[in-house]
Structures are given as structure tokens and as C-alpha cells.
Amino acid sequence: MSQDYIQFISRINRKLGIDLSLYKEAQMKRRITSLRNKRGYQDFVTYYRALEESETLLEEFTKRLTINVSEFYRNPKRWNALEKDIIPLLTKKKNKLTVWSAACSTGEEPYSIAMLLTELFPEVQATIIATDIDEFVLKQAKQGVYPEQSLKNLSTNFKDKFFTYKNKLYHINNSVKNQVTFKKHNLLADTYPENVDLLICRNVLIYFTDQAKDNIYQKFSSSLNEQGILFVGSTEQIFNSERYNLKLVDTFFYQKN
Ligand SMILES: C[S@@+](CC[C@H](N)C(=O)[O-])C[C@H]1O[C@@H](n2cnc3c(N)ncnc32)[C@H](O)[C@@H]1O
């Protein structure tokens, strides 16, 4: 790693609490360098100075780092498996569930689970915690306003029941909103919630180094209750999942032993 990039990373860590050395280097450096060049800064020293001075540049930078793309029922087949097999498995012996949607971005994922449970498992009492490192996306998540595109995997029934369409945007109803508690949380640094029955963490671990991932899987395993389920993204299968006491029970679903 070049000296100026190392220094940049350590300043960003101090400023934003995001340790970029735990993200895959080539990919991250390429993203940051292209944004830096686009804004006309030749090196990381001047770019950092600019970030210190401009809230707008900092927000843009944070966005670039965190990659916030999401949608409701992302990879619908997996959500169908969640409805058909996984929730029934989890609720065989109890009807209270603690769900943690980690790296939830703008809220589509925790709201999807809230809608799913309300519609199909009304007897289940769920506590849904949703976290992300990025305060900007959490603010949007709490507003719960989405373009049509984000809802493309949802049935008309869900759209009609859980959203209000206003000025070409879909506003999630308070009945869904009130079921989710959003919090800022850094997967690489903060303490993890405990006694989780369903942990949804998708499309973020791909950005981390193998060492960081290993550490996170250990902590996920500790967060989960026995028989609890970890739901990962569609490019994120866990190799040697037994190392973390996790057993594959369905594609992209792991159960703690
Ligand atoms: C591509 S989005 C995934 C959103 C959602 N889980 C999904 O699959 O649709 C990745 C999210 O990870 C968050 N993120 C990145 N680094 C993180 C970290 N260290 N701790 C917590 N969240 C992080 C980003 O802010 C971003 O919102």
C-alpha cells in the first residue's frame, strides 16, 4: 500500500470510524481513487483536506464507500424460502422472534421481514433491529420513502397493504415502520446484539478481507440463539461453516447448532 493511501485510511478511520484496511484493498482503492479523480484531486492528502472542509464531499465519499444498493425482497426466491421453510422452522417451538438485519442500508430488508411476518405469521411477536454503519442511509430508512423500482419484487397485495403512493413515491405505512428499530452499528468494531433468532446480513461481507469475515462469522455465531438462522447474500456462501457452529440448511441459510 502506498504511504499516502495508508495515511488517508488512518485519517478516515479517525474521522468516520470506518477502518478501510479491513475492506478488500484493490476494490476499495479503485472506488475511492476514481471518485477523487472525478472531483479533481491529484492525491490523497489534498482530497482528505477537501473532505474535512466540505460536508457535501464527505457525504458523497461516505456513499461511495458504503455502497448502499438495496431493494425489497432482494433475490425473491430466497425470501420465498424464508416464508415457506425458514420461519416455520424458527417458530416450531416458540412464537417470539428477535430479528437483526445487519447492514440494512435504506431499510428495504428489515421492512421486508416486518411485512412478511405481519402478513403470513400474524401470531409471531417479532422484535426487529436494523443496523448500518452509515447515518445517511439510516435517516432514509427511517423516512421509508421509495421509488417504484425498489418494490419491483413485491406483490400488488403487499404494495397495496403496506404502502401509500404519493407523488410518484411509495411511503411505507407506520404499522410497518413502527416494528423496526434502526441503530448505527459498525460490524467491524461494535458489540453485537445477543439472543438473535434470525440474523440477516446480505451483500456487505463481500467487501471485507477474509480475516475480517472470519471474525464477523465468529461473532454472528455468538449472537445467534441455538437453532438460530443466519441469512446471507447470494454470493456469500460460507466455506467451512462448521468452524462457526453453523450448518447449511437451505441455500444461503445457516443454522446454529
Ligand atoms: C449493498 S448494501 C446491502 C443492503 C442490504 N443488506 C441488501 O442486501 O440489500 C451494503 C451496506 O453495508 C453497509 N456497511 C458497509 N460497511 C459496514 C460496516 N463496517 N458495518 C455495518 N454496515 C456496513 C453500507 O453502509 C451499506 O448500507
Side-chain angles (χ1 to χ4, degrees):
M1 258 192 250
S2 61
Q3 205 48 46
D4 66 336
Y5 186 63
I6 292 173
Q7 188 190 43
F8 181 77
I9 281 186
S10 105
R11 286 176 164 170
I12 289 296
N13 195 8
R14 248 174 288 140
K15 186 163 185 67
L16 298 176
I18 304 180
D19 184 355
L20 294 178
S21 71
L22 298 173
Y23 291 70
K24 283 181 194 151
E25 190 201 337
Q27 195 185 24
M28 190 49 85
K29 193 169 176 190
R30 200 176 334 112
R31 293 181 75 81
I32 298 175
T33 310
S34 87
L35 183 64
R36 186 198 81 189
N37 291 343
K38 192 166 136 197
R39 291 287 161 257
Y41 299 96
Q42 308 293 321
D43 55 64
F44 287 109
V45 177
T46 46
Y47 186 45
Y48 184 78
R49 224 173 277 147
L51 293 179
E52 285 261 74
E53 277 160 21
S54 159
E55 189 60 28
T56 319
L57 279 184
L58 190 66
E59 182 169 346
E60 178 190 57
F61 174 77
T62 312
K63 267 211 179 108
R64 177 59 65 101
L65 285 192
T66 52
I67 315 163
N68 304 125
V69 205
S70 192
E71 62 191 26
F72 292 92
Y73 268 59
R74 184 173 187 175
N75 310 111
K77 284 200 181 123
R78 296 298 84 216
W79 285 85
N80 296 340
L82 190 64
E83 291 174 354
K84 207 165 93 11
D85 304 314
I86 303 296
I87 302 290
L89 182 71
L90 280 169
T91 52
K92 236 193 247 165
K93 292 200 194 122
K94 58 180 186 179
N95 70 350
K96 275 196 185 149
L97 290 185
T98 300
V99 181
W100 176 24
S101 165
C104 67
S105 188
T106 32
E108 293 85 337
E109 197 171 81
Y111 288 143
S112 294
I113 190 77
M115 291 187 287
L116 181 161
L117 292 173
T118 306
E119 181 68 6
L120 302 169
F121 301 89
E123 70 289 357
V124 170
Q125 287 175 38
T127 304
I128 306 174
I129 312 157
T131 62
D132 200 282
I133 197 174
D134 181 347
E135 285 175 41
F136 298 111
V137 291
L138 288 174
K139 215 191 260 173
Q140 276 174 262
K142 285 181 201 163
Q143 279 163 358
V145 180
Y146 301 93
E148 172 129 45
Q149 177 65 11
S150 310
L151 284 75
K152 70 178 197 301
N153 299 324
L154 291 187
S155 64
T156 317
N157 175 35
F158 268 39
K159 284 188 201 169
D160 290 348
K161 216 173 235 170
F162 298 117
F163 293 85
T164 306
Y165 186 61
K166 249 192 322 210
N167 304 327
K168 303 209 166 125
L169 291 168
Y170 286 83
H171 297 241
I172 197 132
N173 293 346
N174 283 340
S175 63
V176 182
K177 229 191 235 184
N178 294 340
Q179 294 182 50
V180 180
T181 308
F182 289 98
K183 280 188 207 148
K184 185 172 171 180
H185 180 274
N186 181 352
L187 284 165
L188 297 167
D190 295 334
T191 313
Y192 286 22
E194 287 177 353
N195 300 318
V196 176
D197 298 299
L198 174 62
L199 203 172
I200 312 178
C201 184
R202 308 176 72 217
N203 306 303
V204 64
L205 296 198
I206 29 165
Y207 302 115
F208 298 148
T209 62
D210 287 343
Q211 200 193 331
K213 272 196 266 194
D214 179 55
N215 199 8
I216 290 174
Y217 289 137
Q218 301 281 5
K219 295 208 235 164
F220 277 169
S221 180
S222 306
S223 275
L224 284 168
N225 282 331
E226 253 172 54
Q227 317 291 316
I229 295 277
L230 171 64
F231 179 14
V232 301
S234 295
T235 53
E236 299 177 316
Q237 65 269 47
I238 309 174
F239 298 104
N240 301 324
S241 65
E242 328 73 65
R243 286 187 54 201
Y244 313 107
N245 275 332
L246 296 170
K247 176 178 88 198
L248 187 71
V249 284
D250 199 337
T251 318
F252 307 118
F253 291 98
Y254 296 85
Q255 185 170 41
K256 183 169 167 183
N257 294 327

